[in-house]
Amino acid sequence: MKPTSPVRDWATLPQNVLSTIFLKLGPSEIMLGAELVCTAWRRVALEEPALWRRIGEQLWRCVGVDAEIAMERVALARAAGQCEAFRGCLDYNDLFYLDQRAPCLKSLDIKRFSNYEGTEELIVALEKLPLLENLQIRFTYSVKVDVGMLQSICQACPNLKKLVLIFTDLYWDKDEFYKEPIDGEIPLMHELRVLELYECDLSCRGLKGILDSCPLLESLHITGYFNRRQINENLRVKCAAVHNLTLPATVKPLYLPDDD
C-alpha cells in the first residue's frame, strides 16, 4: 500500500503566501468564497488592503443589485484608502462614501448613475479625486442631465487620459429621446488620449471645441446626431490629425408641431 499523504492544514499557511494567493482572485471570489473557509483566511481578507485596490473588475455573482452595492461598500472600507480602480453602480447617496474611502482612485467606471435631481453632486465628487485618469459613466433614464455635462466633467477632472460618457436611455419628450448637446468649448485637457461620447447631439462648434482643447487626442468616438455637411476645410484638417475618428452619421431630424 502507498503511504497516506499527510493532511495539509491550509489555515497554517503564512499570511504573505495567502495574500499572494488571494491577489489572484477577484474581490467577489474572496468575499463570497475564500474568506469563509476559516478564521485565518478571513483575517487575511480583512487585514490586507492591497487585496481591494481594484474593486468590481469582475462582476459580483449570484447577488442582487442591493447586495452588490452593499458588498462594494464593504470592499471600499477594507481597502483603507488604497483603492485605485472601482467599477460599480452609484447614485448621489454613494458619492460621498466613495470620496471618503477611495481618495486615490485612478480609474472609475460607474455602470449606472442615477439621480432625479441632477448631477451637481457628481461633479463635486469628481473634483475630490485629483488622481483620476480613466473615467466612464453610463447615465440612466432616471438622470436629469445638465446641459454642458462634458464641459463640467472636464473642468472637474483636467488630468484624465480616457473619458467615456454614455447618455443612453435618458428621459424623453413626446417627439424624441433626449440627446446630450455637445456644443461649445471645453477646458484644456492636456493628457486626454481617448474620448468616447454616446448618444449626443454634436455640432461643428462642439467638435472644434474638443479638437482644440485636446492636443494629445488619439481616438475620438461619438454617436448620435451630427451634420457632416457643415464641416469646413479647417475643421477637416483638425479631424485628420486624430488617428481613430468616428463621428455620428445621422442628422438630427426636424419635428414639426402637431396640427391642432
Side-chain angles (χ1 to χ4, degrees):
M1 294 180 60
K2 293 182 179 181
T4 303
S5 300
V7 177
R8 294 179 180 271
D9 184 0
W10 296 102
T12 62
L13 286 174
Q15 184 163 332
N16 64 322
V17 174
L18 283 175
S19 297
T20 301
I21 296 172
F22 281 21
L23 281 171
K24 298 182 180 298
L25 305 175
S28 59
E29 283 79 8
I30 297 174
M31 199 173 292
L32 298 176
E35 71 175 57
L36 305 178
V37 171
C38 62
T39 301
W41 286 32
R42 178 167 174 78
R43 185 180 302 114
V44 173
L46 294 177
E47 297 178 358
E48 288 293 334
L51 300 177
W52 309 98
R53 286 179 179 166
R54 308 186 69 83
I55 297 172
E57 292 299 301
Q58 298 172 329
L59 296 177
W60 305 103
R61 297 194 296 266
C62 305
V63 298
V65 174
D66 291 341
E68 178 182 344
I69 293 174
M71 293 170 70
E72 288 167 353
R73 281 183 165 242
V74 171
L76 282 170
R78 293 182 180 183
Q82 296 186 27
C83 181
E84 296 180 354
F86 178 88
R87 181 176 188 266
C89 302
L90 296 176
D91 61 24
Y92 73 99
N93 290 314
D94 302 307
L95 294 172
F96 177 78
Y97 191 85
L98 181 70
D99 283 341
Q100 293 295 309
R101 297 292 187 176
C104 297
L105 267 187
K106 295 181 180 179
S107 178
L108 175 59
D109 183 349
I110 303 178
K111 295 189 296 182
R112 294 187 301 276
F113 179 80
S114 59
N115 183 4
Y116 286 97
E117 299 301 322
T119 51
E120 182 179 351
E121 293 91 348
L122 172 64
I123 300 304
V124 172
L126 292 176
E127 290 174 345
K128 297 178 182 178
L129 300 173
L131 302 182
L132 205 59
E133 296 179 351
N134 301 321
L135 175 62
Q136 175 168 320
I137 307 174
R138 182 187 181 96
F139 297 96
T140 71
Y141 67 90
S142 60
V143 170
K144 176 184 176 183
V145 178
D146 303 320
V147 174
M149 197 70 237
L150 175 61
Q151 288 89 339
S152 297
I153 289 179
C154 289
Q155 185 70 44
C157 308
N159 298 317
L160 289 177
K161 295 181 179 179
K162 180 177 180 179
L163 174 60
V164 180
L165 301 179
I166 305 170
F167 298 101
T168 58
D169 300 327
L170 297 180
Y171 68 86
W172 59 90
D173 59 25
K174 65 178 181 179
D175 291 324
E176 60 177 326
F177 285 93
Y178 174 89
K179 294 189 184 298
E180 172 73 2
I182 306 297
D183 181 27
E185 298 179 356
I186 66 171
L188 177 63
M189 302 295 289
H190 57 279
E191 295 290 340
L192 194 66
R193 268 76 169 176
V194 177
L195 177 61
E196 298 178 14
L197 305 171
Y198 292 86
E199 297 305 309
C200 298
D201 186 358
L202 176 67
S203 71
C204 284
R205 182 168 171 249
L207 177 58
K208 181 178 182 299
I210 291 172
L211 298 176
D212 286 345
S213 298
C214 305
L216 299 183
L217 196 63
E218 300 172 356
S219 179
L220 176 62
H221 181 88
I222 306 178
T223 69
Y225 296 147
F226 181 59
N227 190 347
R228 291 172 178 265
R229 294 181 180 179
Q230 296 179 352
I231 297 181
N232 58 31
E233 186 60 32
N234 183 48
L235 190 52
R236 291 182 189 278
V237 172
K238 293 178 184 293
C239 289
V242 180
H243 183 66
N244 295 311
L245 177 65
T246 304
L247 298 177
T250 304
V251 178
K252 183 177 181 180
L254 296 176
Y255 290 91
L256 298 177
D258 296 334
D259 293 331
D260 295 329

